[in-house]
Amino acid sequence: MGSVAVPLAGLEESYDYIIVGGGTAGCVLANRLTEDKDVRVLLLEAGDDKTTDPLVLTPGLVAGVYGKDEYDWNFQSVPQSTLNNRIINQARGKMLGGSSALNFMMLVYPSKASIDAWAAVGNPNWNFEALKPYLKKFATVDVPSASTKDICSITYNNDTVAYGDGPVQVSFGEGYGVTNKGWFDTFESLDLLSKRDARDGQALGAFQNASSIDPATKTRSFSAVTYLTPEVRARENLKILTNTHVNKVLFDTTGSEPVATGVEINVNGIVSQVSASLEVILSAGALQSPQILELSGVGSKEILTQHNIPVVVENPAVGEGMQDHPIVCQSFEVKEGTPSGDVLRDPAVLKALLDMYTADRSGPLGQLTISVAYTPLVNKTGVISDEGVKELFAGRDFSNPARAAVRDIVTNPNEPTFQYILFPTQVHIADKPDNMATHLIPVEPENFLTVMTILNSPFSRGSVHIQSSDPKAAPVWDPKYNHDGLDMELLARGVQFVEHLVAPESALGKLLNQTGRRLPQLKGDDLETAKEIVRQRQISVFHVSGSCSMRPREQGGVVNERLQVYGAKGLRVVDASIFPIEPAGNIQSVVYSVAERAADLIKEDRKAVKV
Ligand SMILES: Cc1cc2nc3c(=O)[nH]c(=O)nc-3n(C[C@H](O)[C@H](O)[C@H](O)COP(=O)(O)OP(=O)(O)OC[C@H]3O[C@@H](n4cnc5c(N)ncnc54)[C@H](O)[C@@H]3O)c2cc1C
């Protein structure tokens, strides 16, 4: 099928900026760039507009969208040798709003050091201070209620009015109960209760995360509804085209440096072209922005030649440097009377809760009752001593600046090496999960809670590359979890610590059936068993990033500090792909704030060209 140089009906021949991917970052850019009436923007999204869909809007129904082609790209990894050759599922939003439309809505802020590490690997203009105004700009964080503060031990948040005034609505909810209290009491007894607000980048210990849920409507607050409001959509200088698959970026290669001139699109099988007079901006996410670059001739010569794609910019770093947070899920049977989300397996319970939500937005379907904790390096004895940390890291090679930067975070006793999550249901792990829902649908007859252990700053680096020149073929994603042996050593120690949290004498342990089942039926107190738990129970936290890394080109960079693609003009990447080092915690706050900052950079660059 050849592509035609005429624009599709309804489209102009040329726009100033074409944004590829109307996801989390793409919607931010579409809004901010069209604040200037003189700037004409085309936003292209492969999926549909689902902003009024109850499955997307109702927080408690999120599992209903996974694996369905109209919502979810549903990627699978190659088998992971360090995880008993299991295949890891990677849900990705395929709709306006992207992954913010199907994520778990946890809203946490990164640690300061994990963002300062971006400067340490060659980006002096990117550190926590530089990102801070944007971490505040994207959201409005509601005030937690007195009862929530009490149950969740929130002693540090004295806000009486909302924090920030950004588009994404963030709230704490009301549904916290005995299990949350047990979580906080347990961490307090271990002297690991956070005394600081996570927003300042220095939280350590258990704290109550907020959620991207609008407190007024109890609906998911995500980029497509918050940044593309009816007023924004009505702007004459913004054109949004959904159900439009971008095949590749087009270049003018006649000058000294290739210039991006537009994109080739596929709408219902009709392939055509549209031009960008200033820039093409890729915001297709960490698996697909590198895919589009490779399909366009930007990438490793070897890979491009293998697929008969003419090389426009040779850069073997495209699709490399892929990072993700590994998460180990251990489920524990609860005592009779302890609340568990597993009761939703009963259709009568689900119906009753749906009725409550429909009637007045009350009940658990409108909120999230997850709680979290950040801890330094821990093991079965608690926080590992300075001597113990030194021993663990002795004799290893940290000559690579990125490894040194990660080491500096992980070994810092004031930094969160781990994030723990208290999840209100059982989690099922399959060798080849069909989709994300496979993990969430309760298959065991007993009721459980799950404690999740996340390594915040992994050393391992994976990859994502095209396997064909067909733009619709899924790329090959190999996260290479734990290929750096240190990750397994660290994760296993984090798993050992879980035994403290669920011990019979702990407040959380008292809510569990201590003679009941565990998934897996293993106790992780010795290191070898803890490693086996990782092999059996680790999946992805869905925080893929780093595949078009912002770093100096000679150190594996794909974009510079202004997020411009090396070796080409008029081409940027703005999404999680550019993270040079994975930040601590759930990353949507960082994606939003990077996109907010990128919008300012793009505006500045346009002004500079005009002058
Ligand atoms: C299941 C799940 C749970 C998560 N839970 C949380 C959480 O609780 N808290 C948190 O902070 N983070 C969470 N995350 C992570 C967070 O949501 C993502 O990191 C973030 O949304 C990624 O934003 P992005 O802009 O990089 O990509 P996306 O938001 O994924 O946007 C990419 C967009 O590009 C479109 N696209 C792709 N290819 C093309 C093409 N060829 N042509 C046109 N359009 C294309 C896609 O359809 C999509 O809309 C979760 C993610 C997932 C998947």
Side-chain angles (χ1 to χ4, degrees):
M1 196 179 344
S3 92
V4 283
V6 288
L8 207 68
L11 283 190
E12 290 173 35
E13 206 165 302
S14 175
Y15 292 82
D16 294 323
Y17 296 96
I18 295 179
I19 302 167
V20 177
T24 315
C27 293
V28 176
L29 293 176
N31 175 324
R32 296 302 183 197
L33 295 182
T34 54
E35 283 172 341
D36 182 340
K37 287 191 178 58
D38 292 339
V39 170
R40 293 163 315 125
V41 171
L42 174 63
L43 176 64
L44 299 172
E45 167 54 41
D48 210 343
D49 181 354
K50 301 279 191 189
T51 46
T52 57
D53 187 324
L55 279 185
V56 172
L57 289 172
T58 312
L61 297 184
V62 60
V65 305
Y66 297 128
K68 294 183 184 153
D69 190 47
E70 69 266 40
Y71 303 95
D72 180 7
W73 292 93
N74 197 22
F75 294 112
Q76 308 286 355
S77 75
V78 301
Q80 294 297 289
S81 59
T82 60
L83 301 177
N84 294 341
N85 280 325
R86 284 184 293 113
I87 285 172
I88 303 299
N89 178 260
Q90 188 65 228
R92 291 280 102 191
K94 185 189 192 180
M95 53 192 140
L96 218 48
S99 299
S100 72
L102 54 58
N103 70 15
F104 274 10
M105 298 159 282
M106 292 174 66
L107 204 292
V108 307
Y109 291 82
S111 82
K112 180 174 178 303
S114 69
I115 299 296
D116 286 347
W118 294 14
V121 295
N123 306 294
N125 293 304
W126 286 83
N127 56 23
F128 190 78
E129 271 320 295
L131 203 61
K132 210 170 162 185
Y134 299 100
L135 281 164
K136 193 166 182 187
K137 188 174 183 186
F138 80 88
T140 303
V141 185
D142 197 26
V143 178
S145 72
S147 74
T148 293
K149 283 174 101 169
D150 182 38
I151 294 171
C152 302
S153 300
I154 304 177
T155 51
Y156 42 78
N157 183 333
N158 294 320
D159 288 353
T160 50
V161 291
Y163 169 92
D165 58 359
V168 179
Q169 301 301 306
V170 175
S171 60
F172 285 87
E174 277 299 326
Y176 308 104
V178 289
T179 54
N180 304 89
K181 182 149 178 46
W183 179 258
F184 291 106
D185 288 351
T186 299
F187 276 92
E188 185 168 26
S189 71
L190 297 168
D191 206 16
L192 279 168
L193 190 61
S194 185
K195 309 274 188 309
R196 299 184 73 138
D197 193 326
R199 288 176 293 207
D200 73 4
Q202 290 179 344
L204 203 61
F207 64 95
Q208 184 50 54
N209 60 285
S211 313
S212 41
I213 295 176
D214 186 333
T217 57
K218 299 277 197 284
T219 53
R220 172 188 293 273
S221 185
F222 64 111
S223 70
V225 293
T226 56
Y227 279 90
L228 300 181
T229 58
E231 294 72 34
V232 173
R233 288 177 189 235
R235 289 178 187 164
E236 283 183 3
N237 56 340
L238 174 60
K239 175 78 182 171
I240 302 171
L241 211 60
T242 52
N243 297 306
T244 302
H245 194 101
V246 174
N247 289 346
K248 61 180 176 182
V249 179
L250 304 166
F251 290 98
D252 174 358
T253 53
T254 54
S256 58
E257 202 175 21
V259 181
T261 55
V263 292
E264 180 183 282
I265 57 177
N266 180 340
V267 182
N268 292 327
I270 298 174
V271 177
S272 60
Q273 298 179 354
V274 53
S275 304
S277 60
L278 292 177
E279 289 188 21
V280 174
I281 305 165
L282 299 183
S283 297
L287 295 182
Q288 287 155 295
S289 285
Q291 177 189 22
I292 296 171
L293 283 178
E294 290 184 343
L295 290 167
S296 315
V298 180
S300 139
K301 191 174 176 184
E302 205 186 325
I303 293 173
L304 301 184
T305 324
Q306 202 185 330
H307 298 293
N308 296 320
I309 297 172
V311 179
V312 177
V313 178
E314 188 183 348
N315 187 345
V318 172
E320 295 291 317
M322 163 68 73
Q323 296 164 58
D324 189 14
H325 287 141
I327 184 169
V328 184
C329 306
Q330 292 172 268
S331 302
F332 300 90
E333 189 182 336
V334 295
K335 257 186 188 161
E336 186 136 1
T338 300
S340 156
D342 288 346
V343 295
L344 284 176
R345 68 164 80 76
D346 179 347
V349 173
L350 181 59
K351 183 178 177 311
L353 297 181
L354 269 172
D355 288 347
M356 278 172 85
Y357 184 75
T358 312
D360 59 3
R361 295 284 187 257
S362 62
L365 294 188
Q367 48 201 328
L368 209 66
T369 52
I370 290 169
S371 289
V372 299
Y374 279 165
T375 74
L377 198 40
V378 284
N379 67 5
K380 64 175 179 186
T381 59
V383 177
I384 303 183
S385 67
D386 290 351
E387 275 313 301
V389 173
K390 259 191 212 140
E391 221 172 276
L392 186 56
F393 284 78
R396 297 179 191 267
D397 177 14
F398 294 103
S399 52
N400 175 318
R403 272 178 69 76
V406 174
R407 183 233 13 229
D408 291 348
I409 301 171
V410 174
T411 55
N412 183 338
N414 298 315
E415 273 301 305
T417 297
F418 296 113
Q419 181 185 10
Y420 289 91
I421 296 181
L422 176 67
F423 197 78
T425 65
Q426 60 182 263
V427 171
H428 175 63
I429 308 287
D431 288 347
K432 290 181 189 167
D434 291 338
N435 56 64
M436 171 62 191
T438 309
H439 300 307
L440 299 175
I441 293 169
V443 290
E444 305 296 341
E446 302 86 0
N447 293 342
F448 293 81
L449 293 176
T450 297
V451 177
M452 300 173 166
T453 307
I454 298 170
L455 181 60
N456 269 328
S457 304
F459 288 92
S460 302
R461 298 289 179 266
S463 63
V464 59
H465 291 293
I466 51 170
Q467 58 176 327
S468 140
S469 58
D470 174 0
K472 295 258 177 119
V476 179
W477 171 51
D478 185 357
K480 299 193 178 82
Y481 292 116
N482 310 323
H483 271 224
D484 188 312
L486 248 180
D487 287 350
M488 178 58 99
E489 293 299 328
L490 297 170
L491 255 181
R493 283 165 175 78
V495 166
Q496 285 185 296
F497 181 72
V498 172
E499 292 305 322
H500 279 291
L501 306 179
V502 300
E505 64 282 5
S506 80
L508 185 64
K510 287 183 182 140
L511 299 167
L512 304 175
N513 179 354
Q514 292 288 344
T515 55
R517 293 184 63 200
R518 288 171 167 226
L519 310 173
Q521 197 64 52
L522 291 173
K523 223 171 162 210
D525 36 14
D526 79 87
L527 196 59
E528 283 317 305
T529 314
K531 286 180 185 172
E532 182 52 26
I533 292 174
V534 175
R535 286 190 282 272
Q536 291 187 23
R537 302 287 298 187
Q538 188 219 298
I539 54 171
S540 165
V541 198
F542 312 104
H543 295 167
V544 282
S545 68
S547 49
C548 301
S549 183
M550 170 175 67
R551 296 194 62 189
R553 190 171 181 179
E554 61 285 2
Q555 289 174 30
V558 175
V559 298
N560 65 19
E561 283 195 278
R562 303 191 78 77
L563 311 186
Q564 294 157 321
V565 174
Y566 288 118
K569 282 194 177 131
L571 183 60
R572 287 188 217 236
V573 181
V574 179
D575 58 29
S577 325
I578 68 94
F579 296 2
I581 296 211
E582 184 87 283
N586 310 74
I587 64 172
Q588 65 170 333
S589 58
V590 184
V591 176
Y592 277 118
S593 49
V594 163
E596 283 281 11
R597 184 163 191 222
D600 278 357
L601 296 176
I602 295 166
K603 286 177 178 178
E604 269 172 32
D605 289 348
R606 178 170 167 270
K607 272 195 201 127
V609 170
K610 274 174 69 180
V611 166

